[in-house]
Amino acid sequence: MDLYNALALLLVTAAGFAYLNHRFLRMPPAIGLMVLGLAASLLLVLLAKFDVQPVLQLAGVVGKLDFSRIVMQVMLGFLLFAGAIHVDAGRLGKLRWPVGALALIGTPVSTALVATAMFFLLPLFGLPTPFIYCLLFGALISPTDPIAVLSILTKANISKSLETKIVGESLFNDGVGVVLFVVTLEVALLGPQDFTIGHALTVFARETLGGLALGTALGLGAAWLLRTIDNYQVEVLLTLALVAGGTALAARLHTSGPLAMVMAGLLVGHFSRSRGVMSNESQDYVDKFWELIDEVLNALLFVLMGLEVLVLDIPGRTVLVGLAAIVVVLLARWVAVSVPLVFLRLMPTFRPSDHGVAVLTWGGLRGGLSVALALSLPPTMPRELIVGVTYVIVVFSIVGQGLTIGPLVRWLGVGQASPADGAVAPKAHK
């Protein structure tokens, strides 16, 4: 009952905050829910200073929720599938080179830059940290969070080609970031002396290629099953089973569950819209079901992120480090975006927007994925420092960048798709 009570509290809080935001604040849902969660948490922390027993009991209930496990093992797979199933895979394929370059090149570049900068920055605050832990931080903070991006960026009215690049990148680079994090964590746990390059490449290939292969197999298999029947209840159940079973199978096979769910979602979404695969009624029910799942889980996630302040101990010095790290992460993001685009400009068919780098940099939002990875670190590592700095960056990213990406787009004048874009963004059913 303790777990049920915690989840019930979270759901009631999310529903109440969603109502308040829609009725009064009128912020984008993800931002409004997190702002209200933060405000409520700070108020409760203040009350806890006076030993108000109900508040202390509430903190205990929130503390029973394993944020990292909930996000990584439950929410992430469903949210990624829900986002990917609504993407037009054919249109996304037209931008495969910039999307692939940003995910496969940009994420490792950002990881290395953030790690190096933090290695020299932390001693200035009296917190010297071994480079391997700085590399862990770089791996968890570099990937843009697809949940935050899909919740906020698709409402910013940017040009369709630019929107597709950011949304498409966010769907894949979280998988790359998780793989980098897993490999780096193994190095940190085993020690450099017991870890070889061959082993690192094996882990990377197993996670990346294995995840993509598993997602392809699951997506094609589910598409075939959907083609053989015409019953929307069963079809919705099949997609639900695909995500739940596929995520569990990926964990069992030690492959990347996020990459598997992205691939499965893209394929199911693509083939389900092909002629003769699904009736219009079934397509409508499947779309609405996953849209609803997306909205509910997003509400729970962002409220939970706000309430995490109740159980996180973030000293003032860590907040200062986090504020400095915001600049580091944004600069690293700018370089990580610029480097792939330098090579892509050599392609005659690639026509980037003049302000694409600025929007790609500011629109690279961090969210629950980074917090979940930080919380998954063992206590033998500088976990509290990494968690605190990560949380400061995520709050700034969602609230600060999320609220200003729309005005930035209007100021730069990239709110309309140009003919040179040559592609149309996927529809975001929000």
Side-chain angles (χ1 to χ4, degrees):
M1 288 300 294
D2 286 341
L3 178 60
Y4 176 81
N5 290 337
L7 292 175
L9 171 67
L10 185 59
L11 186 59
V12 170
T13 304
F17 286 172
Y19 175 82
L20 292 174
N21 179 63
H22 183 78
R23 182 74 172 81
F24 300 108
L25 298 183
R26 302 285 182 176
M27 292 183 179
I31 301 174
L33 290 172
M34 188 167 181
V35 167
L36 287 170
L38 280 169
S41 295
L42 293 173
L43 176 61
L44 292 173
V45 168
L46 180 62
L47 293 175
K49 299 290 186 182
F50 299 97
D51 293 328
V52 179
Q53 285 304 311
V55 174
L56 297 177
Q57 293 171 0
L58 178 62
V61 172
V62 175
K64 291 182 184 298
L65 292 171
D66 189 334
F67 183 92
S68 180
R69 182 169 294 181
I70 289 174
V71 173
M72 297 300 297
Q73 297 183 11
V74 181
M75 287 187 172
L76 186 59
F78 287 90
L79 286 165
L80 287 176
F81 184 87
I85 198 174
H86 290 131
V87 172
D88 189 322
R91 293 176 178 179
L92 180 62
K94 295 179 181 179
L95 291 172
R96 60 187 178 276
W97 292 112
V99 168
L102 288 168
L104 297 175
I105 300 175
T107 306
V109 167
S110 176
T111 298
L113 291 175
V114 171
T116 303
M118 294 303 292
F119 181 72
F120 292 103
L121 177 66
L122 286 171
L124 300 180
F125 292 88
L127 296 167
T129 304
F131 184 76
I132 187 63
Y133 300 133
C134 295
L135 200 59
L136 269 175
F137 174 73
L140 67 88
I141 205 65
S142 290
T144 57
D145 193 306
I147 302 166
V149 169
L150 288 168
S151 299
I152 298 171
L153 193 61
T154 51
K155 297 178 176 65
N157 195 32
I158 65 175
S159 72
K160 295 301 182 181
S161 176
L162 201 54
E163 179 184 324
T164 303
K165 291 170 190 172
I166 303 177
V167 171
E169 177 210 4
S170 70
L171 284 172
F172 283 99
N173 75 358
D174 70 303
V176 176
V178 170
V179 171
L180 288 174
F181 178 83
V182 169
V183 173
T184 309
L185 184 59
E186 286 205 26
V187 176
L189 292 173
L190 294 177
Q193 68 280 0
D194 298 323
F195 199 88
T196 64
I197 296 297
H199 182 55
L201 293 176
T202 300
V203 173
F204 187 85
R206 184 187 67 211
E207 291 275 345
T208 306
L209 300 180
L212 293 173
L214 177 62
T216 301
L218 291 173
L220 293 176
W224 180 82
L225 290 174
L226 293 172
R227 185 169 187 161
T228 60
I229 60 173
D230 184 16
N231 182 290
Y232 72 84
Q233 295 100 328
V234 178
E235 288 169 291
V236 168
L237 186 58
L238 283 173
T239 59
L240 186 61
L242 165 63
V243 180
T247 303
L249 182 59
R252 180 73 175 177
L253 298 176
H254 301 289
T255 60
S256 175
L259 286 177
M261 289 305 99
V262 169
M263 282 300 300
L266 288 173
L267 290 171
V268 170
H270 175 70
F271 286 108
S272 67
R273 290 173 177 80
S274 302
R275 183 176 300 177
V277 175
M278 267 190 184
S279 65
N280 291 334
E281 181 185 31
S282 294
Q283 185 69 65
D284 188 52
Y285 272 104
V286 169
D287 282 345
K288 282 184 167 58
F289 173 79
W290 281 105
E291 182 180 349
L292 183 60
I293 290 289
D294 197 15
E295 293 291 349
V296 172
L297 290 183
N298 265 305
L300 293 176
L301 175 61
F302 285 102
V303 168
L304 184 56
M305 287 173 60
L307 293 178
E308 277 294 292
V309 172
L310 281 172
V311 294
L312 292 180
D313 183 18
I314 306 178
R317 182 166 59 170
T318 301
V319 173
L320 293 177
V321 175
L323 294 175
I326 290 171
V327 179
V328 169
V329 170
L330 286 174
L331 288 175
R333 170 71 178 170
W334 179 78
V335 175
V337 167
S338 301
V339 170
L341 294 184
V342 167
F343 296 99
L344 289 169
R345 285 190 178 94
L346 300 177
M347 300 174 58
T349 57
F350 182 71
R351 296 291 184 271
S353 165
D354 291 337
H355 304 293
V357 174
V359 179
L360 281 165
T361 300
W362 198 250
L365 308 176
R366 274 74 180 178
L369 175 64
S370 294
V371 177
L373 290 175
L375 288 169
S376 70
L377 293 173
T380 54
M381 298 180 181
R383 181 177 180 271
E384 291 186 1
L385 172 63
I386 293 176
V387 169
V389 174
T390 301
Y391 195 82
V392 172
I393 294 172
V394 167
V395 170
F396 171 81
S397 181
I398 292 176
V399 179
Q401 292 173 241
L403 285 175
T404 55
I405 184 65
L408 175 66
V409 165
R410 291 190 292 271
W411 183 62
L412 294 176
V414 291
Q416 299 294 327
S418 64
D421 283 334
V424 181
K427 291 182 179 180
H429 293 254
K430 293 288 184 182

